[in-house]
Amino acid sequence: MIDHPLLKHKISLLRDVNTQKKEFQELVDEIAMLMAYEVTAGLETEEYEVETPLEYTKGHRVRGRQITLVPILRAGLGMVDGVMRLLPTMRVGHIGLYRQHDTLEPVDYYFKIPPNPEERSFIVTDPMLATGGSASAAISFLKESGAGAIRLMCIVAAPEGVQRLLVDHPEVPVFTASLDRALNEHGYILPGLGDAGDRLYGTL
Ligand code: PRP
Ligand code: URA
């Protein structure tokens, strides 16, 4: 879990039922940017020569083009710009999934990632990790396509979702800014923040 005073502050605003769409979108964006600093901490860098005004020195660069951000539609889209602000050369793939209301099983409707996935590392974004079904399915699709290293980045996670990921994809690091208490009988995270997609896009 990423523990930071700014994240705690912004997640509290995000949870607030009185936070409206515009502010909700801005908060998701800012939280994603703050989290991206930690999520990208383990990325490899390559050395190159930099000419300062005084002499040459060793520089380091992250190969952003080798990293692909994969939002899970819809709500994961809200995190894209925040991460891209730190690593603008990243590629972006998309995975379309929604949870069936009665079974809570994920239904897939879209999959598009850049070519040569085996040469890339992936960061999957979704604000909510509830049962973990959607994130687990998204990661399975990426693996089936031959994806290299995969990280998962969510804002609020339920213990059930974290456990599901540990069982299904133990090698995938899960970054979350809040570990919440539980799921309710409808699969919503408690205390949570409600339906992230609906609050982001005003479809409540
Ligand atoms: C939400 C959320 C996750 C999923 C989490 O998406 O954005 O993708 O539910 O639940 P899970 O961990 O139990 O799978 P939703 O299905 O509401 O689709 P939407 O983003 O299009 O609203
Ligand atoms: N999806 C959401 O958007 N919110 C939840 O609490 C659970 C799943």
Side-chain angles (χ1 to χ4, degrees), residues 20-139:
Q20 299 300 307
K21 182 167 74 68
K22 178 172 180 290
E23 193 187 354
F24 194 90
Q25 285 176 349
E26 289 166 357
L27 287 163
V28 168
D29 176 80
E30 290 166 1
I31 290 167
M33 187 180 73
L34 292 169
M35 289 185 72
Y37 183 75
E38 286 289 335
V39 174
T40 54
L43 291 181
E44 282 176 22
T45 55
E46 62 182 13
E47 292 182 359
Y48 73 110
E49 198 173 49
V50 181
E51 185 182 1
T52 78
L54 302 171
E55 61 180 22
Y56 284 91
T57 188
K58 189 165 64 180
H60 305 269
R61 70 180 149 218
V62 172
R63 299 185 66 207
R65 285 179 200 165
Q66 300 301 100
I67 303 154
T68 303
L69 196 60
V70 186
I72 299 179
L73 309 180
R74 291 175 299 169
L77 279 177
M79 299 170 72
V80 170
D81 288 353
V83 181
M84 294 288 288
R85 225 172 287 135
L86 295 191
L87 255 174
T89 54
M90 272 181 159
R91 300 308 193 229
V92 183
H94 294 88
I95 298 182
L97 291 172
Y98 68 87
R99 284 201 315 180
Q100 226 160 18
H101 276 290
D102 42 357
T103 64
L104 301 181
E105 287 300 314
V107 179
D108 61 296
Y109 59 90
Y110 191 74
F111 184 84
K112 180 78 181 175
I113 59 171
N116 308 320
E118 60 288 345
E119 295 168 13
R120 300 175 185 277
S121 61
F122 291 80
I123 301 175
V124 176
T125 64
D126 193 329
M128 310 306 280
L129 182 66
T131 65
S134 303
S136 179
I139 292 166

Side-chain angles (χ1 to χ4, degrees), residues 75 99 128-131 183 186-190 192-198:
R99 284 201 315 180
M128 310 306 280
L129 182 66
T131 65
L183 294 180
H186 304 294
Y188 278 87
I189 300 174
L190 298 173
L193 48 77
D195 189 306
D198 283 348

